[in-house]
Each structure stands twice: as C-alpha cells, then as structure tokens.
Amino acid sequence: MIIVPECEIAGLMSREAAFDAVEKVFAAMACQKAYNFPVIREAIGHADALYGFKSGFDRDSLALGLKSGGYWPGNAAQGLTNHQSSVFLFDADTGQCRAVVGGNLLTALRTAAASSVSIRHLARQDAKVLGMIGAGHQSVFQMRAAVEQRAFEKVFGWNYHPEMLSRLEDCASELGLPFESVPLDQLGQEADVIISITSSQSAILLDEHVTPGTHMACMGTDTKGKQEVEAQLLGRATVFTDEVAQSISIGESQHAISEGLITKAGITEIGAVINGDHPGRTSEDEITLFDGTGVGLQDLAVASSVVDLAVQKGVAIEVDF
Ligand code: NAD
C-alpha cells in the first residue's frame, strides 16, 4: 500500500493536473461510466464536528474509494485546519487498500478545478471581469484557477466579513490583476464571471444583481440548507452541475427545485458539455450557472493522479498492509 502524506501534495499536484483529472471524471460521470455513492454526513456529537464520506467508482480509470473527513470548528485554535480529510483508494480488481492520501490541499485544488472547468466550457470567450464572492480559505484557490481560463483584466470582490477582503486583494496582486472591493449590485452588473464560495445560509446575490451573459460558478453550497444566490436567478439561468442528484438535494438548486422554479430534467451535468452532448452556452446573453456541489469522484480522480506522480517521483511511502 502507498501513503502520500499531506506534506507531499503541494510538491506533486499542479492546477493543470487537477483540472485534467476533474474534467475527465466529469465527462465519465455524464456517460454513466463513473458514479458516486450516496453521501454520508453526520454531526457526531463530539468536538462539535461534522464527519462523513464521499465515495464512488470510475469504471474508466478504475478509481475506487472514498474521501473521509469533515469539519472540526475547534481546530484553528490548535493551529490545525478546520476542514480535515483523507482519501482511501482501493484496487478495483481485488478490493485491497491501494493508497492513503492526504486530502486537505487536494480538496481545495479539485474544488477550484471544478469551477475552472465550468468557466472553460461555459463562460463567454470575451470575459474580462472576474467577480469573487467569499474570501475564505477556498477563495484564493478559486481565483488562481479561474484566471487561467480567460484573459481577465480585473477582479471585483465582496465578502460578508469585509475584513477578510485583503486575502482576495493579495491574491489578485500576486496574479498581476487590479482588485476592487465593490458592493454586490456593482459586482453583479460588471462581472462577466462570478464565483461564490461562502458558507452562507441565505441568498447573498440577488436575481436583480446579475446581468445577461454572466457565467456563475456557485461553489459554496454543499449541504442542505446552505444558499448563496436567490432561487429566481436559477429560474432565469441555464443550470449546469457536477451531479444532478447532489445539485437538487445539497446544492444551490435545492431551493429553486423546492420553489418549483426549475425542474430536475432542466439541469445538465457539465460532463455532457465536455463530451459534446450538450451545446453549453448558446448565446452571448445567456446566463449560465454551474452548481458545484463537490463529488467524491473528484477526490478519487485527483488522489489517483497524486499517487501516480508520487510513484514517478520516488516520494511514495510503501508499506506492507
Ligand atoms: P472559510 O470558513 O475559510 O470561509 C467562509 C467564507 O464564508 C468566508 O468568505 C466568510 O466571510 C463567508 N461567510 C461566513 N458566514 C457567512 C454568512 N452568514 N453569509 C455570507 N458569507 C458568510 O470556508 P472555505 O474553506 O473558504 O469554504 C467556503 C465554503 O465552500 C464552505 O461552505 C464549504 O463547505 C464550501 N466548500 C465547497 C466545496 C465544493 O466542492 N463545492 C469544497 C470545499 C468547500
């Protein structure tokens, strides 16, 4: 069995490799070659923690396994990341445990890769302004991956906690882009691509804020009850997702579905666009919205790439198990 510890991931996994792995597995999901198993997520009644599993199997790549972890709110006080996860890969032919891989950085990279895939396939080619809603841990990974997809000329940002906006400003500056903190209505009106990555429980961005032609990647809503954008906006947009089952139950679509503004049949998996089975954006005025809920197969895809890279570079730890 191979172990790839968290401390090795940064030296092994690139944004490009994460993008390729996620794009491939989204494509495999849309043609039913890869599928996710139902998500388990439980409040364990200890340390105020939420703990769960995301798992699946990709018959194309033979990636089989799970990501296990969750959210421990007291970790920051101990100098640890609140979100903790590890990926376990199994041999699809024998069921033997093949690898254990640190999942913290991989989660950020695979989540950023998902919105980046949506931008590549759905945003207008002439997109110039990137709007960021959210300035937490994930936000900078999102920004770095997004700017690789279009020739963005500036970044607008908004955050519920304004004191955190310097994180976005520093990241934009590292990327050589001007940054401006703006009110939500200006962000909605002027941004060509908007990424939302917050833990909000109610709509931040309203339908009236968003102008025709925008592409939105809603990445924060991954649990029942969370919400980042007004449900009416999904009614006006063409809605895409990583996986329909998650989108309607734990994703941004849950609210528009329960209010009867969209139907399950009207939501398209982004893999269908990647595979050429759906045209994606069909006009410059269309609003496209990607509901990125985060699927276990993304974790398995990036973890499998890391294992291959670790073996190639001689940093994989091999143990008898
Ligand atoms: P974080 O704790 O570092 O940051 C939280 C962000 O949410 C900050 O911008 C904060 O200001 C904002 N926020 C907090 N309370 C808010 C409120 N009431 N209204 C509006 N904004 C509020 O978290 P993070 O690691 O950056 O993750 C952000 C979100 O993304 C979380 O909800 C997390 O569960 C989700 N996430 C999704 C995926 C996926 O695959 N879709 C993957 C990882 C994380």
Side-chain angles (χ1 to χ4, degrees), residues 50-157:
L50 282 175
Y51 170 72
F53 311 100
K54 283 188 168 182
S55 55
F57 179 45
D58 181 346
R59 283 196 298 263
D60 259 353
S61 68
L62 298 186
L64 171 70
L66 60 92
K67 178 169 83 170
S68 175
Y71 188 74
W72 274 259
N75 275 8
Q78 304 174 52
L80 299 169
T81 310
N82 287 354
H83 287 275
Q84 288 293 331
S85 62
S86 308
V87 183
F88 295 79
L89 297 173
F90 298 91
D91 186 312
D93 294 316
T94 64
Q96 287 178 301
C97 188
R98 205 185 131 226
V100 179
V101 182
N104 294 348
L105 176 58
L106 283 184
T107 297
L109 291 171
R110 67 76 145 144
T111 306
S115 62
S116 185
V117 165
S118 85
I119 295 168
R120 176 173 298 179
H121 291 279
L122 297 171
R124 291 195 334 268
Q125 290 300 329
D126 65 350
K128 294 276 184 289
V129 180
L130 174 65
M132 295 291 312
I133 298 176
H137 178 71
Q138 303 291 332
S139 62
V140 289
F141 292 91
Q142 293 283 324
M143 193 194 299
R144 290 188 195 114
V147 300
E148 286 169 349
Q149 297 307 325
R150 294 292 185 269
F152 289 108
E153 292 174 356
K154 63 178 166 184
V155 180
F156 281 169

Side-chain angles (χ1 to χ4, degrees), residues 2 15 57 92 94 101 104 112 133 137 152-153 158 161 164 178 196 229 248 251 253 259 278 290 293 308 316:
I2 287 168
R15 277 194 297 280
F57 179 45
T94 64
V101 182
N104 294 348
I133 298 176
H137 178 71
F152 289 108
E153 292 174 356
W158 183 91
H161 301 102
M164 292 168 75
S196 57
V229 304
I248 62 174
S253 295
E259 290 176 36
H278 186 284
F290 175 68
T293 64
D308 292 346

Side-chain angles (χ1 to χ4, degrees), residues 88-302:
F88 295 79
L89 297 173
F90 298 91
D91 186 312
D93 294 316
T94 64
Q96 287 178 301
C97 188
R98 205 185 131 226
V100 179
V101 182
N104 294 348
L105 176 58
L106 283 184
T107 297
L109 291 171
R110 67 76 145 144
T111 306
S115 62
S116 185
V117 165
S118 85
I119 295 168
R120 176 173 298 179
H121 291 279
L122 297 171
R124 291 195 334 268
Q125 290 300 329
D126 65 350
K128 294 276 184 289
V129 180
L130 174 65
M132 295 291 312
I133 298 176
H137 178 71
Q138 303 291 332
S139 62
V140 289
F141 292 91
Q142 293 283 324
M143 193 194 299
R144 290 188 195 114
V147 300
E148 286 169 349
Q149 297 307 325
R150 294 292 185 269
F152 289 108
E153 292 174 356
K154 63 178 166 184
V155 180
F156 281 169
W158 183 91
N159 195 46
Y160 184 75
H161 301 102
E163 67 279 8
M164 292 168 75
L165 281 164
S166 58
R167 180 183 259 153
L168 295 181
E169 184 165 13
D170 291 348
C171 183
S173 151
E174 164 204 311
L175 296 165
L177 290 169
F179 174 81
E180 208 179 318
S181 142
V182 294
L184 274 174
D185 55 349
Q186 187 183 351
L187 186 147
Q189 270 157 30
E190 296 190 34
D192 303 306
V193 171
I194 301 173
I195 297 174
S196 57
I197 182 85
T198 73
S199 45
S200 176
Q201 299 277 339
S202 58
I204 302 169
L205 193 71
L206 303 182
D207 185 29
E208 67 186 33
H209 291 148
V210 178
T211 51
T214 303
H215 172 65
M216 289 223 44
C218 300
M219 304 304 297
T221 299
D222 56 359
T223 307
K224 196 167 168 50
K226 283 189 183 172
Q227 184 173 18
E228 297 189 300
V229 304
E230 197 175 23
Q232 279 78 3
L233 181 55
L234 280 87
R236 192 155 63 102
T238 310
V239 180
F240 299 85
T241 188
D242 40 25
E243 191 197 73
V244 172
Q246 285 198 187
S247 175
I248 62 174
S249 54
I250 59 171
E252 200 59 44
S253 295
Q254 62 183 291
H255 309 286
I257 287 277
S258 66
E259 290 176 36
L261 297 166
I262 60 169
T263 62
K264 183 179 169 187
I267 305 172
T268 303
E269 291 192 352
I270 185 87
V273 182
I274 298 165
N275 288 333
D277 296 328
H278 186 284
R281 168 178 293 279
T282 53
S283 83
E284 294 294 284
D285 282 348
E286 188 174 5
I287 295 173
T288 51
L289 186 148
F290 175 68
D291 182 9
T293 64
V295 294
L297 282 167
Q298 279 169 264
D299 299 302
L300 305 188
V302 289

